[in-house]
Amino acid sequence: MSDLASFAIRDCRPMEVEVVLELWRQAEATPSITDNANDLRRAVADGPANVLVAEVEGRIVGSIIGTFDGWRGNIYRLAVHPLYRRRGIARALVAEVEKRLARQGAKRITALVEKNHPLATSFWPAVGYGVDSRIIRHVRSI
Ligand SMILES: CC(C)(COP(=O)(O)OP(=O)(O)OC[C@H]1O[C@@H](n2cnc3c(N)ncnc32)[C@H](O)[C@@H]1OP(=O)(O)O)[C@@H](O)C(=O)NCCC(=O)NCCS
């Protein structure tokens, strides 16, 4: 791998879902209830989720999911493989997903960020996402 190898951002393909699931494990993204091939394939194939990947020399090294729910935009599953960090890949993934969400109608975008993950809490302010201290998240898995 060359340090200077450039990357491309593109839509994830249905046949790539296992590779993306493996990327999330390698990136040590916190596992979630939807981290399985069926749910990810549905998001990729049926839309309207924007499931994007970053590719370097044919290898998938980054991912992001952006959704517009008709009211707000939400970002999930931002992850970059440990060997490919700090070269602007996550920044580019966010920029591309923001463009897609804006086109779909989003005016405000939320990123759910684990407050005890220093990589994530360093990254998000660097790309313009401030902390909204008024909000806490209530969740229920059904
Ligand atoms: C967070 C993560 C996606 C960042 O990916 P990345 O491609 O390395 O990020 P970028 O190179 O685009 O970084 C953009 C900016 O974020 C900040 N940043 C990123 N990683 C950082 C770190 N380890 N320490 C401090 N600042 C950091 C910097 O300001 C950086 O700009 P700079 O390199 O010009 O200084 C990656 O570390 C990751 O996958 N972590 C594990 C999973 C995770 O935490 N995902 C986020 C879930 S919300």
PDB file of all heavy atoms in Angstrom, residues 7-12 51-56 62-64 88-97 100:
ATOM      1  N   PHE A   7      -8.073   7.907  -2.901  1.00  0.00           N
ATOM      2  CA  PHE A   7      -9.278   7.149  -2.601  1.00  0.00           C
ATOM      3  C   PHE A   7     -10.443   7.691  -3.418  1.00  0.00           C
ATOM      4  O   PHE A   7     -10.400   8.827  -3.896  1.00  0.00           O
ATOM      5  CB  PHE A   7      -9.590   7.192  -1.108  1.00  0.00           C
ATOM      6  CG  PHE A   7      -9.797   8.573  -0.550  1.00  0.00           C
ATOM      7  CD1 PHE A   7     -11.041   9.180  -0.593  1.00  0.00           C
ATOM      8  CD2 PHE A   7      -8.741   9.269   0.029  1.00  0.00           C
ATOM      9  CE1 PHE A   7     -11.235  10.456  -0.081  1.00  0.00           C
ATOM     10  CE2 PHE A   7      -8.928  10.550   0.545  1.00  0.00           C
ATOM     11  CZ  PHE A   7     -10.171  11.142   0.490  1.00  0.00           C
ATOM     12  N   ALA A   8     -11.446   6.856  -3.556  1.00  0.00           N
ATOM     13  CA  ALA A   8     -12.672   7.270  -4.247  1.00  0.00           C
ATOM     14  C   ALA A   8     -13.843   6.957  -3.339  1.00  0.00           C
ATOM     15  O   ALA A   8     -13.810   5.987  -2.575  1.00  0.00           O
ATOM     16  CB  ALA A   8     -12.804   6.508  -5.559  1.00  0.00           C
ATOM     17  N   ILE A   9     -14.874   7.803  -3.407  1.00  0.00           N
ATOM     18  CA  ILE A   9     -16.101   7.578  -2.635  1.00  0.00           C
ATOM     19  C   ILE A   9     -17.193   7.182  -3.627  1.00  0.00           C
ATOM     20  O   ILE A   9     -17.366   7.850  -4.647  1.00  0.00           O
ATOM     21  CB  ILE A   9     -16.557   8.882  -1.918  1.00  0.00           C
ATOM     22  CG1 ILE A   9     -15.422   9.523  -1.122  1.00  0.00           C
ATOM     23  CG2 ILE A   9     -17.803   8.628  -1.068  1.00  0.00           C
ATOM     24  CD1 ILE A   9     -15.049   8.870   0.134  1.00  0.00           C
ATOM     25  N   ARG A  10     -17.908   6.120  -3.306  1.00  0.00           N
ATOM     26  CA  ARG A  10     -18.975   5.673  -4.227  1.00  0.00           C
ATOM     27  C   ARG A  10     -20.042   4.924  -3.445  1.00  0.00           C
ATOM     28  O   ARG A  10     -19.843   4.586  -2.271  1.00  0.00           O
ATOM     29  CB  ARG A  10     -18.382   4.788  -5.323  1.00  0.00           C
ATOM     30  CG  ARG A  10     -17.729   3.524  -4.798  1.00  0.00           C
ATOM     31  CD  ARG A  10     -17.494   2.521  -5.914  1.00  0.00           C
ATOM     32  NE  ARG A  10     -16.751   1.358  -5.478  1.00  0.00           N
ATOM     33  CZ  ARG A  10     -17.258   0.334  -4.810  1.00  0.00           C
ATOM     34  NH1 ARG A  10     -18.538   0.330  -4.452  1.00  0.00           N
ATOM     35  NH2 ARG A  10     -16.521  -0.700  -4.458  1.00  0.00           N
ATOM     36  N   ASP A  11     -21.148   4.616  -4.134  1.00  0.00           N
ATOM     37  CA  ASP A  11     -22.208   3.827  -3.508  1.00  0.00           C
ATOM     38  C   ASP A  11     -21.714   2.417  -3.224  1.00  0.00           C
ATOM     39  O   ASP A  11     -20.990   1.828  -4.030  1.00  0.00           O
ATOM     40  CB  ASP A  11     -23.414   3.738  -4.454  1.00  0.00           C
ATOM     41  CG  ASP A  11     -24.146   5.065  -4.568  1.00  0.00           C
ATOM     42  OD1 ASP A  11     -24.737   5.490  -3.573  1.00  0.00           O
ATOM     43  OD2 ASP A  11     -24.086   5.686  -5.650  1.00  0.00           O
ATOM     44  N   CYS A  12     -22.157   1.874  -2.096  1.00  0.00           N
ATOM     45  CA  CYS A  12     -21.895   0.471  -1.789  1.00  0.00           C
ATOM     46  C   CYS A  12     -22.761  -0.403  -2.704  1.00  0.00           C
ATOM     47  O   CYS A  12     -23.891  -0.036  -3.037  1.00  0.00           O
ATOM     48  CB  CYS A  12     -22.246   0.222  -0.324  1.00  0.00           C
ATOM     49  SG  CYS A  12     -21.936  -1.464   0.221  1.00  0.00           S
ATOM     50  N   VAL A  51     -25.775   4.531   1.383  1.00  0.00           N
ATOM     51  CA  VAL A  51     -24.697   3.708   1.949  1.00  0.00           C
ATOM     52  C   VAL A  51     -23.495   3.876   1.031  1.00  0.00           C
ATOM     53  O   VAL A  51     -23.503   3.420  -0.114  1.00  0.00           O
ATOM     54  CB  VAL A  51     -25.098   2.223   2.039  1.00  0.00           C
ATOM     55  CG1 VAL A  51     -23.996   1.432   2.739  1.00  0.00           C
ATOM     56  CG2 VAL A  51     -26.432   2.050   2.771  1.00  0.00           C
ATOM     57  N   LEU A  52     -22.498   4.572   1.533  1.00  0.00           N
ATOM     58  CA  LEU A  52     -21.332   4.897   0.704  1.00  0.00           C
ATOM     59  C   LEU A  52     -20.097   4.195   1.235  1.00  0.00           C
ATOM     60  O   LEU A  52     -19.994   3.934   2.446  1.00  0.00           O
ATOM     61  CB  LEU A  52     -21.083   6.409   0.707  1.00  0.00           C
ATOM     62  CG  LEU A  52     -22.254   7.318   0.330  1.00  0.00           C
ATOM     63  CD1 LEU A  52     -21.805   8.778   0.344  1.00  0.00           C
ATOM     64  CD2 LEU A  52     -22.827   6.943  -1.020  1.00  0.00           C
ATOM     65  N   VAL A  53     -19.174   3.917   0.336  1.00  0.00           N
ATOM     66  CA  VAL A  53     -17.894   3.350   0.755  1.00  0.00           C
ATOM     67  C   VAL A  53     -16.764   4.187   0.178  1.00  0.00           C
ATOM     68  O   VAL A  53     -16.926   4.883  -0.828  1.00  0.00           O
ATOM     69  CB  VAL A  53     -17.733   1.875   0.303  1.00  0.00           C
ATOM     70  CG1 VAL A  53     -18.734   0.975   1.020  1.00  0.00           C
ATOM     71  CG2 VAL A  53     -17.842   1.726  -1.208  1.00  0.00           C
ATOM     72  N   ALA A  54     -15.614   4.087   0.841  1.00  0.00           N
ATOM     73  CA  ALA A  54     -14.378   4.669   0.310  1.00  0.00           C
ATOM     74  C   ALA A  54     -13.502   3.515  -0.140  1.00  0.00           C
ATOM     75  O   ALA A  54     -13.378   2.505   0.559  1.00  0.00           O
ATOM     76  CB  ALA A  54     -13.668   5.482   1.392  1.00  0.00           C
ATOM     77  N   GLU A  55     -12.904   3.685  -1.309  1.00  0.00           N
ATOM     78  CA  GLU A  55     -12.119   2.605  -1.905  1.00  0.00           C
ATOM     79  C   GLU A  55     -10.706   3.112  -2.183  1.00  0.00           C
ATOM     80  O   GLU A  55     -10.536   4.223  -2.691  1.00  0.00           O
ATOM     81  CB  GLU A  55     -12.809   2.223  -3.216  1.00  0.00           C
ATOM     82  CG  GLU A  55     -12.347   0.955  -3.846  1.00  0.00           C
ATOM     83  CD  GLU A  55     -13.116   0.699  -5.145  1.00  0.00           C
ATOM     84  OE1 GLU A  55     -13.177   1.602  -6.003  1.00  0.00           O
ATOM     85  OE2 GLU A  55     -13.646  -0.396  -5.286  1.00  0.00           O
ATOM     86  N   VAL A  56      -9.727   2.302  -1.841  1.00  0.00           N
ATOM     87  CA  VAL A  56      -8.335   2.607  -2.183  1.00  0.00           C
ATOM     88  C   VAL A  56      -7.778   1.390  -2.908  1.00  0.00           C
ATOM     89  O   VAL A  56      -7.757   0.292  -2.363  1.00  0.00           O
ATOM     90  CB  VAL A  56      -7.472   2.876  -0.923  1.00  0.00           C
ATOM     91  CG1 VAL A  56      -5.999   3.033  -1.299  1.00  0.00           C
ATOM     92  CG2 VAL A  56      -7.958   4.109  -0.182  1.00  0.00           C
ATOM     93  N   GLY A  62     -13.475   2.352   3.946  1.00  0.00           N
ATOM     94  CA  GLY A  62     -14.283   3.280   4.738  1.00  0.00           C
ATOM     95  C   GLY A  62     -15.747   3.144   4.377  1.00  0.00           C
ATOM     96  O   GLY A  62     -16.097   2.643   3.299  1.00  0.00           O
ATOM     97  N   SER A  63     -16.600   3.567   5.318  1.00  0.00           N
ATOM     98  CA  SER A  63     -18.045   3.498   5.068  1.00  0.00           C
ATOM     99  C   SER A  63     -18.758   4.623   5.793  1.00  0.00           C
ATOM    100  O   SER A  63     -18.237   5.193   6.767  1.00  0.00           O
ATOM    101  CB  SER A  63     -18.613   2.166   5.572  1.00  0.00           C
ATOM    102  OG  SER A  63     -18.678   2.188   6.981  1.00  0.00           O
ATOM    103  N   ILE A  64     -19.957   4.906   5.303  1.00  0.00           N
ATOM    104  CA  ILE A  64     -20.854   5.835   5.999  1.00  0.00           C
ATOM    105  C   ILE A  64     -22.278   5.533   5.514  1.00  0.00           C
ATOM    106  O   ILE A  64     -22.466   5.099   4.373  1.00  0.00           O
ATOM    107  CB  ILE A  64     -20.481   7.304   5.693  1.00  0.00           C
ATOM    108  CG1 ILE A  64     -21.160   8.272   6.669  1.00  0.00           C
ATOM    109  CG2 ILE A  64     -20.826   7.690   4.251  1.00  0.00           C
ATOM    110  CD1 ILE A  64     -20.590   9.695   6.629  1.00  0.00           C
ATOM    111  N   GLY A  88      -7.955  11.980   5.509  1.00  0.00           N
ATOM    112  CA  GLY A  88      -9.111  12.734   5.012  1.00  0.00           C
ATOM    113  C   GLY A  88     -10.241  11.879   4.461  1.00  0.00           C
ATOM    114  O   GLY A  88     -11.197  12.408   3.875  1.00  0.00           O
ATOM    115  N   ILE A  89     -10.180  10.556   4.664  1.00  0.00           N
ATOM    116  CA  ILE A  89     -11.222   9.699   4.086  1.00  0.00           C
ATOM    117  C   ILE A  89     -12.571   9.921   4.784  1.00  0.00           C
ATOM    118  O   ILE A  89     -13.606  10.099   4.128  1.00  0.00           O
ATOM    119  CB  ILE A  89     -10.796   8.211   4.139  1.00  0.00           C
ATOM    120  CG1 ILE A  89      -9.621   8.007   3.180  1.00  0.00           C
ATOM    121  CG2 ILE A  89     -11.971   7.297   3.786  1.00  0.00           C
ATOM    122  CD1 ILE A  89      -9.061   6.599   3.153  1.00  0.00           C
ATOM    123  N   ALA A  90     -12.567   9.971   6.111  1.00  0.00           N
ATOM    124  CA  ALA A  90     -13.832  10.193   6.822  1.00  0.00           C
ATOM    125  C   ALA A  90     -14.397  11.575   6.490  1.00  0.00           C
ATOM    126  O   ALA A  90     -15.608  11.736   6.287  1.00  0.00           O
ATOM    127  CB  ALA A  90     -13.629  10.032   8.325  1.00  0.00           C
ATOM    128  N   ARG A  91     -13.533  12.549   6.419  1.00  0.00           N
ATOM    129  CA  ARG A  91     -13.984  13.906   6.065  1.00  0.00           C
ATOM    130  C   ARG A  91     -14.674  13.888   4.690  1.00  0.00           C
ATOM    131  O   ARG A  91     -15.730  14.503   4.497  1.00  0.00           O
ATOM    132  CB  ARG A  91     -12.761  14.837   6.033  1.00  0.00           C
ATOM    133  CG  ARG A  91     -13.076  16.300   5.940  1.00  0.00           C
ATOM    134  CD  ARG A  91     -11.801  17.087   5.690  1.00  0.00           C
ATOM    135  NE  ARG A  91     -10.901  17.203   6.837  1.00  0.00           N
ATOM    136  CZ  ARG A  91     -11.051  18.072   7.820  1.00  0.00           C
ATOM    137  NH1 ARG A  91     -12.078  18.899   7.819  1.00  0.00           N
ATOM    138  NH2 ARG A  91     -10.177  18.134   8.812  1.00  0.00           N
ATOM    139  N   ALA A  92     -14.088  13.168   3.752  1.00  0.00           N
ATOM    140  CA  ALA A  92     -14.666  13.100   2.401  1.00  0.00           C
ATOM    141  C   ALA A  92     -15.983  12.311   2.396  1.00  0.00           C
ATOM    142  O   ALA A  92     -16.917  12.656   1.663  1.00  0.00           O
ATOM    143  CB  ALA A  92     -13.659  12.470   1.444  1.00  0.00           C
ATOM    144  N   LEU A  93     -16.049  11.256   3.202  1.00  0.00           N
ATOM    145  CA  LEU A  93     -17.309  10.494   3.290  1.00  0.00           C
ATOM    146  C   LEU A  93     -18.430  11.379   3.818  1.00  0.00           C
ATOM    147  O   LEU A  93     -19.554  11.367   3.298  1.00  0.00           O
ATOM    148  CB  LEU A  93     -17.111   9.271   4.197  1.00  0.00           C
ATOM    149  CG  LEU A  93     -16.364   8.086   3.584  1.00  0.00           C
ATOM    150  CD1 LEU A  93     -15.855   7.149   4.681  1.00  0.00           C
ATOM    151  CD2 LEU A  93     -17.249   7.313   2.611  1.00  0.00           C
ATOM    152  N   VAL A  94     -18.128  12.154   4.854  1.00  0.00           N
ATOM    153  CA  VAL A  94     -19.149  13.040   5.421  1.00  0.00           C
ATOM    154  C   VAL A  94     -19.560  14.098   4.389  1.00  0.00           C
ATOM    155  O   VAL A  94     -20.752  14.372   4.202  1.00  0.00           O
ATOM    156  CB  VAL A  94     -18.630  13.703   6.721  1.00  0.00           C
ATOM    157  CG1 VAL A  94     -19.580  14.804   7.185  1.00  0.00           C
ATOM    158  CG2 VAL A  94     -18.453  12.657   7.815  1.00  0.00           C
ATOM    159  N   ALA A  95     -18.589  14.668   3.690  1.00  0.00           N
ATOM    160  CA  ALA A  95     -18.911  15.714   2.705  1.00  0.00           C
ATOM    161  C   ALA A  95     -19.824  15.154   1.613  1.00  0.00           C
ATOM    162  O   ALA A  95     -20.789  15.809   1.198  1.00  0.00           O
ATOM    163  CB  ALA A  95     -17.623  16.276   2.096  1.00  0.00           C
ATOM    164  N   GLU A  96     -19.529  13.941   1.158  1.00  0.00           N
ATOM    165  CA  GLU A  96     -20.351  13.367   0.082  1.00  0.00           C
ATOM    166  C   GLU A  96     -21.762  13.043   0.593  1.00  0.00           C
ATOM    167  O   GLU A  96     -22.755  13.310  -0.088  1.00  0.00           O
ATOM    168  CB  GLU A  96     -19.676  12.105  -0.470  1.00  0.00           C
ATOM    169  CG  GLU A  96     -20.453  11.422  -1.583  1.00  0.00           C
ATOM    170  CD  GLU A  96     -20.721  12.307  -2.817  1.00  0.00           C
ATOM    171  OE1 GLU A  96     -19.925  13.226  -3.078  1.00  0.00           O
ATOM    172  OE2 GLU A  96     -21.738  12.065  -3.508  1.00  0.00           O
ATOM    173  N   VAL A  97     -21.848  12.489   1.805  1.00  0.00           N
ATOM    174  CA  VAL A  97     -23.178  12.140   2.315  1.00  0.00           C
ATOM    175  C   VAL A  97     -23.985  13.419   2.587  1.00  0.00           C
ATOM    176  O   VAL A  97     -25.194  13.463   2.358  1.00  0.00           O
ATOM    177  CB  VAL A  97     -23.064  11.197   3.535  1.00  0.00           C
ATOM    178  CG1 VAL A  97     -23.300  11.894   4.851  1.00  0.00           C
ATOM    179  CG2 VAL A  97     -24.013  10.028   3.403  1.00  0.00           C
ATOM    180  N   ARG A 100     -25.518  14.451  -0.645  1.00  0.00           N
ATOM    181  CA  ARG A 100     -26.678  13.608  -1.002  1.00  0.00           C
ATOM    182  C   ARG A 100     -27.892  13.985  -0.153  1.00  0.00           C
ATOM    183  O   ARG A 100     -29.008  14.087  -0.652  1.00  0.00           O
ATOM    184  CB  ARG A 100     -26.363  12.131  -0.754  1.00  0.00           C
ATOM    185  CG  ARG A 100     -25.079  11.641  -1.393  1.00  0.00           C
ATOM    186  CD  ARG A 100     -25.318  11.167  -2.799  1.00  0.00           C
ATOM    187  NE  ARG A 100     -24.130  10.527  -3.328  1.00  0.00           N
ATOM    188  CZ  ARG A 100     -24.042   9.227  -3.618  1.00  0.00           C
ATOM    189  NH1 ARG A 100     -25.079   8.438  -3.413  1.00  0.00           N
ATOM    190  NH2 ARG A 100     -22.925   8.725  -4.122  1.00  0.00           N
TER     191      ARG A 100
END
